[in-house]
Amino acid sequence: MTAQPPQVITIDGPAGAGKSTLARALARRLVWSYLDTGALYRALALACLDKGLDPGDQAAAEALAARLKLTVRPTPEGTVILVDGEDVTDRLRSPEVSRAASVVSAWPGVRAALLGLQRALGEQGRVVAEGRDMGTVVFPSAGLKFFLSASPEARARRRHLELLEQGVAGSRESVLADIMARDEADSTRAVAPLKPPPDAVAIDSTNIDVEAVLNVMIKAFRNRFFAQDEPD
Ligand code: DC
């Protein structure tokens, strides 16, 4: 054995790269928990919208983040989120909430308010955590990090199908435009911008399916922690 298995594996990457699907699949394979940190920003964004607040109003969003009571339950299937005691998990995936989440997540006070909660969840151990700054800011010493990307067109195609399955209407063009706008905002913000951690295993999933990406991840896990080098 080369090292102790890590308590946290991180997966970062842009919107629609397949992070949630892969984090869930990896967690299931390892019998670990899956932590979707985008859901925290989405829950805050939803609370902003529900209260009639403008997500672009920094002071309002930061004040709400400081007082909101978020309860997060990572499970192998997904991340269940309660806002002030109400389960909002099923309301987090709409395009409106996606856009508002990208806006609120740029505010430094919002990120600071959610940092302790994310680290506390990681300390429970055996967690696959996915987001934008998992390997760079929240869990910089994670034992294994992945950066998952794909072309904007491939990401828009997958996200469009996902939304159709959830009964959310919209054209693929509008999904692509949303994805490009979110990429730009998430990568250029001043605090914790999306960028590959220097020590991450980079995977481009444009032309490979979920099973193939999962195999790359499992192989990296074994090679890193159990020295079971396998031929390609
Ligand atoms: O992964 P997602 O689409 O559910 O994320 C929603 C938004 O939250 C995304 O536009 C950027 C933000 N986010 C973030 O800034 N940091 C994270 N760790 C996770 C998500």
Side-chain angles (χ1 to χ4, degrees):
M1 194 188 294
T2 53
Q4 286 297 310
Q7 291 305 307
V8 177
I9 295 174
T10 63
I11 305 180
D12 289 303
K19 300 185 300 294
S20 304
T21 306
L22 264 307
R24 191 181 290 118
L26 184 60
R28 201 177 287 153
R29 182 73 74 89
L30 298 175
V31 199
W32 286 22
S33 291
Y34 155 51
L35 173 61
D36 167 10
T37 60
L40 306 187
Y41 293 95
R42 286 172 181 272
L44 175 64
L46 177 69
C48 252
L49 298 174
D50 278 354
K51 291 178 193 308
L53 300 172
D54 174 4
D57 180 339
Q58 178 174 2
E62 291 184 341
L64 185 61
R67 71 165 188 271
L68 210 62
K69 190 172 177 311
L70 288 182
T71 309
V72 182
R73 297 194 191 119
T75 74
E77 297 310 316
T79 302
V80 173
I81 309 250
L82 281 70
V83 173
D84 290 335
E86 184 198 343
D87 186 341
V88 296
T89 315
D90 290 343
R91 298 181 56 210
L92 299 179
R93 313 302 310 177
S94 72
E96 193 190 14
V97 171
S98 300
R99 281 192 285 273
S102 188
V103 175
V104 293
S105 67
W107 302 130
V110 164
R111 304 202 73 84
L114 297 181
L115 186 61
L117 175 57
Q118 293 172 80
R119 288 201 173 139
L121 291 161
E123 269 162 28
Q124 293 177 4
R126 295 179 173 252
V127 172
V128 180
E130 62 109 335
R132 301 293 188 291
D133 61 344
M134 297 295 94
T136 50
V137 175
V138 181
F139 303 113
S141 56
L144 184 57
K145 303 176 183 179
F146 295 102
F147 191 83
L148 189 59
S149 62
S151 70
E153 291 72 21
R155 292 187 284 119
R157 198 171 55 239
R158 291 173 194 160
R159 187 49 65 90
H160 184 229
L161 282 176
E162 211 175 271
L163 288 170
L164 287 181
E165 275 165 19
Q166 291 162 13
V168 181
S171 68
R172 196 194 292 176
E173 290 69 32
S174 72
V175 175
L176 178 59
D178 270 0
I179 275 189
M180 306 273 272
R182 282 216 284 148
D183 282 357
E184 172 71 12
D186 297 344
S187 313
T188 56
R189 68 183 175 220
V191 188
L194 170 67
K195 61 173 186 224
D199 50 349
V201 177
I203 306 173
D204 183 336
S205 73
T206 305
N207 295 312
I208 53 175
D209 64 13
V210 170
E211 202 54 37
V213 178
L214 183 60
N215 285 338
V216 173
M217 290 179 162
I218 296 284
K219 197 179 281 182
F221 180 84
R222 289 193 183 135
N223 286 349
R224 180 84 50 100
F225 299 104
F226 298 99
Q228 291 179 1
D229 283 299
E230 294 170 20
D232 285 324

